[in-house]
Amino acid sequence: QVQLVESGGGLVQAGGSLRLSCAASGNIVSINAMGWYRQAPGKQRELVATITSGGSTNYADSVKGRFTITRLNAKNTVYLQMNSLKPEDAAVYYCNAARAITATGVRDYWGQGTQVTVSS
């Protein structure tokens, strides 16, 4: 099993910054990709950014140029630096570990979510 623990959410004014962190723990052999997704009230969960173990990144168009995803493979930790936040960025942000390999197999895992609120 893999546990994902997120931190760093909170309330920020529009134009401000937040940094989210997600640490994966457990009997992990490797994690193919880690990333962040978000879900606003009444909306579907959507991709924000992902990063592979090799460092390749993918961003939603809405956050390109404002958000940066980084990863420490040795610590199975992923970060999301969010700058120039907008009210429409407000959502619950979920950490994802895709194709995590453990002694029991391969599967995806999700964190419990962290709330990001942006005031206008």
Side-chain angles (χ1 to χ4, degrees), residues 30-53:
S30 65
I31 302 174
N32 180 38
M34 299 187 74
W36 293 93
Y37 292 71
R38 66 188 181 188
Q39 187 167 17
K43 295 186 176 182
Q44 290 188 331
R45 190 173 297 189
E46 63 177 4
L47 178 146
V48 176
T50 61
I51 184 168
T52 68
S53 57

Side-chain angles (χ1 to χ4, degrees), residues 50-64:
T50 61
I51 184 168
T52 68
S53 57
S56 296
T57 58
N58 181 44
Y59 293 93
D61 287 343
S62 60
V63 307
K64 284 181 180 177

Side-chain angles (χ1 to χ4, degrees), residues 3-77:
Q3 295 79 41
L4 300 177
V5 178
E6 301 136 332
S7 61
L11 171 65
V12 65
Q13 287 188 333
S17 299
L18 282 175
R19 188 188 191 217
L20 305 183
S21 300
C22 173
S25 62
N27 190 15
I28 301 169
V29 175
S30 65
I31 302 174
N32 180 38
M34 299 187 74
W36 293 93
Y37 292 71
R38 66 188 181 188
Q39 187 167 17
K43 295 186 176 182
Q44 290 188 331
R45 190 173 297 189
E46 63 177 4
L47 178 146
V48 176
T50 61
I51 184 168
T52 68
S53 57
S56 296
T57 58
N58 181 44
Y59 293 93
D61 287 343
S62 60
V63 307
K64 284 181 180 177
R66 299 187 298 121
F67 291 11
T68 302
I69 188 169
T70 56
R71 176 175 174 175
L72 287 177
N73 289 330
K75 294 187 176 182
N76 291 316
T77 300

